[in-house]
Amino acid sequence: MAERLKNQASAYLRQHAGNPVDWWPFGDAAFAEARRRDVPVFISIGYAACHWCHVMAHESFEDPEIARILNRDFVSIKVDREERPDVDSAYMAATQALTGQGGWPMSVFTLPDGRTYYAGTYFPPRQLQGTPSFRQVLEAVAGAWRDRRSEVERSAEQIAAHLASNQAANRNLVGNLSAAAVPPNGADDSARALEAAVEALAAAEDTEFGGFGGAPKFPPSPLLRFLLAYAHSSAPGSGTAAALAERTLTAMALGGIYDHVGGGFARYAVDRRWQVPHFEKMLYDNAQLLRIYAHFSRQAASADLKSLALRVTRGTAGWMAAELAVPGGGFASSLDADTLVDGHRVEGATYVFTRSQLEAALGTGSAALDLLDLDADDGASHRLPGSTLRLRAVPDEAQAGIWDEARMVLAAVRSQRPQPERDGKVVAGWNGLAVAGLADAALALADAGMAEDWMLPAAEAAARYLLDVHWDGGILRRVSSDGQAQGIEGLLEDYAGVAEGLFALYAATGNPGWHNAAQDLAAAAVERFLGPEGLSDTARESEQVRHAQGGYSAANPLDDAVPSGTALLAGVLLTSASYGGPGRHRDLAEGLTVHVRRAGPALPQAVGWSMSVQQSILGGPQELAVTGTDPAAVAGLLSAGRSAGGPGLVIAHGEAGGVGLLQGRETRAPALAYVCRGMVCRRPVDSAQELEAELRAGI
C-alpha cells in the first residue's frame, strides 16, 4: 500500500514502505487527494533513530485493522522531521498548543488545507491510564469531521491564529534588520546582557552533576560554544563561564552519554547524572560536540582535563568516520536507538555490559574495572540488559592508558553483537557542522602533538561532497541519498551551516577555494532568505505549512539541539565581513543578534550561538593573517595564534586568491603574523611569543 515511500531519500519513510497504511510523502498531491475525497489528513512525524516511533509503527501502523480505518477515513502522510524541519516545527507548535507538550512520534490531524484541529504524540494500541487508544482517537477525530464540521473548522482557525501569533513574536524578537535599526552605541548593552546571561546560567546550573536543569538532560551544544568564547574574554564573569563549561563538559565526558568504547555521544541522558542515555546517536550532536571539545582542550585548566578533552575529540571524530561516513565523503544522519536482537528491538543492547561480561572480557582483577562506575544491578533499574559504562573520575595518564587497552578489548566484543541501523540520508547543514568540527579537531590534535592524518582530508572530502552533490552554484539541496540530491531546497540552517563549515576548513587549510565557496553561500543565503518582510527559515514555504501558521511565517531565532538558522547566518556573515566580504554582512550580523540583549538574560539556553556571535562582535572580532615563505615558520605562528586567540579568532593564510584579509600582506620573510580588527592591522610580528602577547593584549 505504501509504494510511494519506497524510493524516498529518508530511511524513516522507507521503513514504512511495507505498512498496510496507504502512506503519502508530504506534498501538494497528498492534500489534493484529501480535498478530492473530502477527508481529513493524518500526519505522522518521526525519524529513523526514534525508539517510540518504532514502537508505534509496530503496534499500530503494521496492524491491518488500524490501517483499514486510516485508509478509509484519512489521507495519511509520513514525515521525517530531519528531512522536513519546516513541517515538523509548524506541527510541533500546534501539538504543544493543544497538549502542553511535544515529542515523537507526533500524530497530527489537519484539514485538507493543512490547518491542525487535533494532535498528540504517541498513542498506545489499547487504552492505558487515561490515554485513549489510537483506534479510539481515529474514530473520534473522523467522527468530528463528519458530524461536527463547523466545530472542527473553528478549532483549526483558532489554532492557526495562535501559531500566527508565535510567528509574529519571532519576527518581533529579531526586529528590523536595517543597519539603522541597530543602536549606534549598543556595545555596552550587549556586554551587560551577556554578563547577565552568565549569571542566569550560574543560577540554573545543576551544581551536583553539571549541566542545566533536571532530567532529561541534553548536551547544550550552542550554549557551550558561547561559554567557551566568553571564558576566553576578560569580561566580568569570564571565570564563571569557564567553570560552567568545564563542569558540564567534564560530566558529559565521564558519563554514560559518551560512548567510552566506540566514541561519540548519544542524543540525551534520561537522568540528571548523565549516566543513562537514550541511545540514538545523531550527526548534529556529535559534529557540534567534536568542535566544542577541540576548543575546550585549548582552555582546560589541568593537563588531565586537556588530555580527556583530546581523547573525546579523537574518539568522536573516529566514531563519525567509522559509523556515519558514506561513499563520496558525506556523513549519514544517525544511528538507531534500538538494536534488533532475536527479532525484537532492544534499546542499548549493542552498548551495555553486565559485570560478568566485563570480567570475562578483561579479567576478574582488571584494573580497568576500578575505573568504572557501574550499576550495582547490571542495568535492571533502567530496564537495560547491562550497565552503561561511565568513568568514576578524570583519569590521569596511567589510568587513561589502562582504559585505552580495555577499550580495544571491549570494542572487539561489541563488534560481534548486532549493531543498530543507520539512517543514511545526508543533511547539508549538519554536514557543514561536521566539516567545521573535523577541521577544528584536526588542528587541536595536531597542535597537541596527536595529529590524525586522516582527519583534515575527511573534512575536505565532506566539503567536496556538499559542493558537488548539494550545491549547483545557485540552489543548495537539503538532503541527498546514495550520492543524489533529493527533495526540498535547503533551509536557512543548511546554507549557513555549510558556509560555516567551509570557512572553518579555509582557516585550517589556507585553500582560498573553500573561502570563496563559503562567501558564495553566504551571499546566496542573504539573497534567498532575507526579504522585505524580514528573515525566513525557508526560501519557498509549503502552502500547507503557511496555512497551518495562519498565513504568517518568520525565522525562529531560538536554538534547539542545533543552532538556529538565524544564529548560524549571523556568525557566517560576521566571518564573511572579517575576511573582506561585503561590509553590509557585518551590519546584518549585528542586526541578527541584537535580540540577545533581551533574550540572553531571560532565555540564555535558547540563544547560545547568537550570544557567541555577539561576543565575537564585542571582541572586534580578532583577525589573524599569516604570510611567509617558510611553511614550518608559518605553521608555528598559526599554532601559536590558535592557542592564544580563542574560538572566535578569524584566521587567514596561504595564497590570497580573493581573500581580502591577505591582500597586500605578502612577504618574502619566513613568516609574519598580522593581528587585525575590521581588517585594520597592527604591525606584523615574526615570533610565537610576540604573537601570543599581541592576541592576549586584545582580549
Side-chain angles (χ1 to χ4, degrees), residues 83 94 105 121 238 255 312 360 404 426 454 633-634 642:
E83 183 180 28
T121 52
S238 59
V312 169
D404 277 342
V426 175
W454 64 269
V634 168
R642 290 189 292 262

Side-chain angles (χ1 to χ4, degrees), residues 446-462:
D447 290 345
M450 299 169 59
E452 295 279 351
D453 293 339
W454 64 269
M455 205 172 289
L456 200 53
E460 293 185 290

Side-chain angles (χ1 to χ4, degrees), residues 130-150:
T131 301
S133 71
F134 188 49
R135 178 169 181 165
Q136 288 174 316
V137 170
L138 294 179
E139 291 172 342
V141 170
W145 170 262
R146 286 191 307 268
D147 305 330
R148 301 189 304 280
R149 184 77 61 93
S150 60

Side-chain angles (χ1 to χ4, degrees), residues 521-599:
L521 277 157
V526 172
E527 178 184 351
R528 298 194 65 76
F529 297 94
L530 183 61
E533 295 182 352
L535 192 67
S536 175
D537 281 324
T538 58
R540 301 180 66 180
E541 187 176 43
S542 157
E543 178 184 356
Q544 294 80 27
V545 168
R546 192 167 185 85
H547 285 154
Q549 296 177 156
Y552 203 112
S553 65
N556 183 354
L558 305 181
D559 298 330
D560 197 351
V562 293
S564 71
T566 301
L568 277 169
L569 179 62
V572 161
L573 294 178
L574 184 62
T575 303
S576 165
S578 298
Y579 278 130
R584 177 179 179 237
H585 283 183
R586 181 187 174 97
D587 294 337
L588 282 172
E590 293 195 33
L592 288 167
T593 55
V594 164
H595 65 279
V596 305
R597 296 174 191 169
R598 287 176 289 158

Side-chain angles (χ1 to χ4, degrees), residues 255-582:
I257 193 172
Y258 179 69
D259 182 352
H260 291 276
V261 174
F265 288 84
R267 192 165 78 92
Y268 65 90
V270 302
D271 63 308
R272 277 183 61 201
R273 301 179 63 183
W274 305 100
Q275 287 186 323
V276 181
H278 186 46
F279 287 88
E280 59 196 1
K281 296 167 83 170
M282 321 300 290
L283 174 62
Y284 57 72
D285 287 319
N286 285 282
Q288 292 181 82
L289 291 169
L290 170 61
R291 197 178 191 189
I292 287 165
Y293 277 95
H295 288 303
F296 178 50
S297 73
R298 300 183 187 277
Q299 298 174 231
S302 70
D304 287 343
L305 270 181
K306 178 182 179 71
S307 179
L308 177 66
L310 288 168
R311 288 198 306 279
V312 169
T313 299
R314 184 168 57 188
T316 301
W319 171 80
M320 283 170 49
E323 300 293 342
L324 296 186
V326 304
F331 291 94
S333 296
S334 64
L335 292 187
D336 207 319
D338 300 342
T339 303
L340 197 62
V341 180
D342 297 329
H344 300 282
R345 290 184 173 273
V346 181
E347 187 174 4
T350 302
Y351 304 104
V352 299
F353 285 86
T354 65
R355 188 171 188 90
S356 63
Q357 288 171 335
L358 290 169
E359 290 176 345
L362 302 176
T364 303
S366 171
L369 294 174
D370 295 332
L371 303 178
L372 293 173
D373 173 25
L374 298 171
D375 296 331
D377 61 0
D378 277 342
S381 58
H382 304 297
R383 299 181 181 178
L384 294 173
S387 176
T388 59
L389 303 185
R390 293 101 56 178
L391 296 180
R392 292 183 180 277
V394 177
D396 59 27
E397 184 177 358
Q399 291 168 332
I402 291 170
W403 179 247
D404 277 342
E405 291 184 9
R407 181 178 61 81
M408 297 299 290
V409 174
L410 296 177
V413 173
R414 257 181 34 181
S415 70
Q416 302 303 309
R417 296 175 173 179
Q419 301 297 309
E421 294 181 357
R422 182 173 84 168
D423 181 349
K425 72 175 180 293
V426 175
V427 177
W430 305 350
N431 271 257
L433 297 178
V435 169
L438 286 168
D440 285 6
L443 297 176
L445 290 164
D447 290 345
M450 299 169 59
E452 295 279 351
D453 293 339
W454 64 269
M455 205 172 289
L456 200 53
E460 293 185 290
R464 282 193 295 271
Y465 180 96
L466 290 168
L467 295 179
D468 291 345
V469 176
H470 287 251
W471 172 242
D472 66 6
I475 300 293
L476 181 76
R477 294 291 170 188
R478 178 165 173 82
V479 301
S480 67
S481 179
D482 297 325
Q484 298 292 320
Q486 295 180 247
I488 65 169
E489 179 180 353
L491 307 181
L492 176 60
E493 69 175 52
D494 295 301
Y495 280 79
V498 174
E500 174 76 17
L502 294 175
F503 274 135
L505 189 55
Y506 165 67
T509 64
N511 180 345
W514 302 126
H515 162 274
N516 296 337
Q519 292 283 12
D520 289 344
L521 277 157
V526 172
E527 178 184 351
R528 298 194 65 76
F529 297 94
L530 183 61
E533 295 182 352
L535 192 67
S536 175
D537 281 324
T538 58
R540 301 180 66 180
E541 187 176 43
S542 157
E543 178 184 356
Q544 294 80 27
V545 168
R546 192 167 185 85
H547 285 154
Q549 296 177 156
Y552 203 112
S553 65
N556 183 354
L558 305 181
D559 298 330
D560 197 351
V562 293
S564 71
T566 301
L568 277 169
L569 179 62
V572 161
L573 294 178
L574 184 62
T575 303
S576 165
S578 298
Y579 278 130

